Amino acid sequence: MIGIFDSGVGGMTVAHAIEQACPGQKFIYFGDLARAPYGSKSPETIRRYARNNIEFLLARGAKLIIIACNSAASVAAAEMRQEFDLPIFDVIGPAVARVGRIAAGLGGYWRTGVIGTRATIKSNIYAREIQALNPAVTVYSQACPLLVSLVEEGWLNHRETKMILRRYLRPLRIKQVNALVLGCTHYPLLKPLIQARIGKRVKIIDSSVEVASVLQRYLARQPAGTYGESGRDSEFYVSDITTAARATARRIFGRPIDLIKV
Amino acid sequence: MIGIFDSGVGGMTVAHAIEQACPGQKFIYFGDLARAPYGSKSPETIRRYARNNIEFLLARGAKLIIIACNSAASVAAAEMRQEFDLPIFDVIGPAVARVGRIAAGLGGYWRTGVIGTRATIKSNIYAREIQALNPAVTVYSQACPLLVSLVEEGWLNHRETKMILRRYLRPLRIKQVNALVLGCTHYPLLKPLIQARIGKRVKIIDSSVEVASVLQRYLARQPAGTYGESGRDSEFYVSDITTAARATARRIFGRPIDLIKV
């Protein structure tokens, strides 16, 4: 089975993208709602939580891990790959590769924006990895710490959300970025608003979609059924359960999700 | 020593109010930043965290506990008083008593608003306790889940904060409340904005100030030095440490606070 974890329900945008990209693929999801959000916490604390989450997924039979949380991927992915002996995917690498591919196609000078939580932006991982891949790309990063709360409140089309987005995106607009990486799994839910505020000509790169597409290509190269168990359906575990979490899960999948509290 | 805990740094408004009300009184503060915020979590999870925090404060020598977090006070104070054999104060009782006193002085019909996190408002504890004290008081409650994030971001005078406050407070304005209880220890930092939006004639009741004043009267009845240790200064422990937390602590106390990570 494939194990996916996130600090909360945001990573379900990754699980949902995987359902779309790899029909029939089942997974075990863990959302650490009792300790969410991660984006405002320190790297040491986030690493400890990532370790706990992977151990939980292993115990449930996961043979491959997807870190569906940009904050955890930013500060913990490298360490977790050293500590655990199984394939670990994360939401950052695939989005970085996509920026690299587009930039290579265009050639020459290119500007991309990256938005994320405070932990993700402070780690500077997107800028570092994009420039390692293609030094001609200039990266402008912007922490958007209030967006996770706005999404979790379901304020997806409120005037206040639009104003806050305008404030966060203004510096990237001024830099006239050609692309914008959504470096947090909550942000795809705000994509229409973000597109409107950053400008229609800016290419939006959704890290959830990118990791799903990388996973699809990876699975196609493995013997059939390597990461599935016949007769076992996808499972959704959470460390805490609230009405708001249920509503967000439903909004992401477009159907009610049975959350199991552990 | 007096032990004070909160989910994060918001409870420092209580610690600061105690410093003002009881000069020389020292305390041990614990802010559970690694698991903050509590207000969006379930009652069972919040109770488990409250228990952990009290045990931590006891181990450090606390002889009296103040639950400086409305979410924890709402769903855990009664259970904690049963489980632990020492005086436990919380931020709710004193604010309720204050509403009761004002209402008694005015006589007759009276309307009060209460704002707080989702957990606090859902528990309905303010409405229940105020009406138990004085059934003539009508209580209107409003959850304001985004305010904690806005305070932690330091957006204390932003246009977006004013708009969000206007949206949250509109139902209470329409009901023409006479008083408004700030049922979250983060909210005192927004008091000027709240007062402007709810109307100058509305009496704002700050639960941090009320608990400090109740504690002051309680300490005055105890033998001197019952809850202090000579030569021991106040200590500030946190379960995680970030730049934003340091900045909020400084904003509350008006001086740098030395946070110790445990």
Side-chain angles (χ1 to χ4, degrees):
Chain A
M1 293 288 270
I2 289 177
I4 306 174
F5 79 85
D6 179 40
S7 59
V9 291
M12 287 190 186
T13 60
V14 175
H16 184 242
I18 290 172
E19 274 196 356
Q20 305 289 309
C22 319
Q25 176 64 48
K26 304 301 180 192
F27 50 80
I28 314 164
Y29 185 89
F30 178 69
D32 194 10
L33 281 154
R35 304 189 289 193
Y38 286 1
S40 49
K41 285 163 191 151
S42 70
E44 302 73 50
T45 297
I46 298 172
R47 277 196 278 274
R48 182 156 53 85
Y49 292 170
R51 191 173 296 120
N52 299 159
N53 299 345
I54 293 176
E55 281 162 358
F56 171 83
L57 290 169
L58 291 179
R60 304 269 158 178
K63 302 273 181 287
L64 179 156
I65 298 289
I66 298 172
I67 306 181
C69 168
N70 278 268
S71 305
S74 300
V75 301
E79 288 80 356
M80 296 307 118
R81 287 197 182 98
Q82 286 186 344
E83 291 182 26
F84 294 93
D85 185 28
L86 80 174
I88 298 183
F89 288 73
D90 71 69
V91 274
I92 294 177
V96 166
R98 175 93 161 124
V99 172
R101 280 199 307 280
I102 303 178
L106 292 170
Y109 186 66
W110 206 61
R111 292 175 300 277
T112 190
V114 175
I115 56 175
T117 64
R118 212 183 276 296
T120 300
I121 297 305
K122 206 174 165 194
S123 77
N124 207 31
I125 191 164
Y126 276 101
R128 244 177 21 241
E129 298 210 348
I130 290 170
Q131 286 176 335
L133 204 61
N134 188 339
V137 179
T138 312
V139 181
Y140 299 99
S141 303
Q142 174 71 41
C144 304
L146 290 165
L147 299 189
V148 168
S149 310
L150 289 164
V151 169
E152 286 182 347
E153 283 309 303
W155 284 29
L156 303 185
N157 205 23
H158 280 47
R159 211 173 131 215
E160 292 86 346
T161 309
K162 292 175 189 171
M163 283 178 64
I164 291 172
L165 268 174
R166 191 170 293 126
R167 185 188 289 265
Y168 283 147
L169 297 177
R170 193 177 299 136
L172 303 178
R173 257 188 95 101
I174 291 169
K175 297 294 181 187
Q176 296 185 289
V177 294
N178 309 107
L180 178 66
V181 178
L182 307 186
C184 172
T185 52
H186 280 77
Y187 300 175
L189 290 159
L190 293 171
K191 196 171 166 185
L193 262 58
I194 292 172
Q195 186 81 69
R197 256 126 226 103
I198 194 69
K200 311 190 272 254
R201 276 186 288 188
V202 175
K203 169 77 188 156
I204 291 191
I205 296 168
D206 175 342
S207 54
S208 308
V209 171
E210 300 307 323
V211 71
S213 132
V214 164
L215 182 74
Q216 182 194 27
R217 290 195 296 275
Y218 175 84
L219 293 178
R221 294 194 306 269
Q222 311 299 316
T226 308
Y227 296 112
E229 270 175 44
S230 60
R232 193 168 168 193
D233 212 348
S234 291
E235 294 157 17
F236 294 86
Y237 297 97
V238 287
S239 54
D240 193 19
I241 203 160
T242 59
T243 317
R246 263 204 209 91
T248 309
R250 190 188 186 127
R251 199 175 296 126
I252 292 170
F253 281 92
R255 63 175 196 265
I257 296 296
D258 185 23
L259 302 177
I260 306 159
K261 190 176 159 185
V262 285
Chain B
M1 292 290 270
I2 289 177
I4 306 174
F5 80 84
D6 178 39
S7 60
V9 292
M12 286 189 186
T13 61
V14 175
H16 184 242
I18 290 173
E19 276 195 357
Q20 305 290 307
C22 319
Q25 177 63 49
K26 304 300 180 193
F27 50 81
I28 315 164
Y29 185 89
F30 178 69
D32 194 10
L33 281 153
R35 305 189 290 194
Y38 286 1
S40 50
K41 284 162 192 151
S42 70
E44 301 73 50
T45 297
I46 298 172
R47 276 195 279 273
R48 181 156 54 87
Y49 292 171
R51 191 173 298 119
N52 299 158
N53 300 345
I54 294 176
E55 281 161 358
F56 172 83
L57 291 169
L58 290 180
R60 303 270 157 177
K63 301 272 181 286
L64 179 156
I65 298 289
I66 298 172
I67 306 181
C69 169
N70 278 268
S71 305
S74 300
V75 302
E79 288 78 359
M80 296 307 118
R81 286 195 184 101
Q82 286 186 343
E83 291 181 27
F84 294 93
D85 185 28
L86 80 175
I88 298 184
F89 288 72
D90 71 69
V91 275
I92 294 178
V96 166
R98 175 94 158 123
V99 172
R101 280 200 305 282
I102 303 177
L106 293 170
Y109 185 65
W110 207 60
R111 290 175 301 277
T112 191
V114 175
I115 55 175
T117 63
R118 212 182 275 295
T120 300
I121 297 305
K122 206 174 165 196
S123 77
N124 206 31
I125 191 164
Y126 276 101
R128 243 176 22 237
E129 297 209 350
I130 290 169
Q131 286 176 335
L133 205 62
N134 188 338
V137 179
T138 312
V139 182
Y140 299 99
S141 303
Q142 174 70 41
C144 304
L146 289 166
L147 299 189
V148 167
S149 310
L150 290 164
V151 169
E152 286 181 348
E153 284 309 302
W155 284 29
L156 302 185
N157 205 23
H158 280 46
R159 211 174 129 215
E160 291 86 346
T161 309
K162 292 175 189 171
M163 282 179 65
I164 291 172
L165 268 175
R166 193 170 292 124
R167 184 187 290 265
Y168 283 146
L169 297 177
R170 192 177 299 135
L172 303 178
R173 257 187 97 103
I174 291 170
K175 297 294 182 187
Q176 298 186 288
V177 294
N178 309 108
L180 179 65
V181 178
L182 307 185
C184 173
T185 52
H186 280 78
Y187 300 174
L189 290 159
L190 294 171
K191 195 171 167 185
L193 263 57
I194 291 172
Q195 186 80 71
R197 257 127 225 101
I198 193 69
K200 325 188 263 255
R201 274 186 290 186
V202 175
K203 168 77 187 156
I204 291 191
I205 297 168
D206 175 341
S207 54
S208 308
V209 171
E210 299 307 323
V211 71
S213 132
V214 164
L215 182 74
Q216 181 194 28
R217 290 196 297 273
Y218 175 84
L219 293 177
R221 293 195 306 268
Q222 312 298 316
T226 308
Y227 296 112
E229 269 175 45
S230 60
R232 191 168 169 191
D233 213 345
S234 291
E235 294 158 16
F236 295 86
Y237 297 97
V238 287
S239 54
D240 192 19
I241 204 161
T242 59
T243 317
R246 262 204 209 91
T248 308
R250 187 183 188 133
R251 199 175 297 126
I252 292 170
F253 281 93
R255 63 176 197 264
I257 296 295
D258 185 22
L259 302 178
I260 306 158
K261 190 177 159 185
V262 285

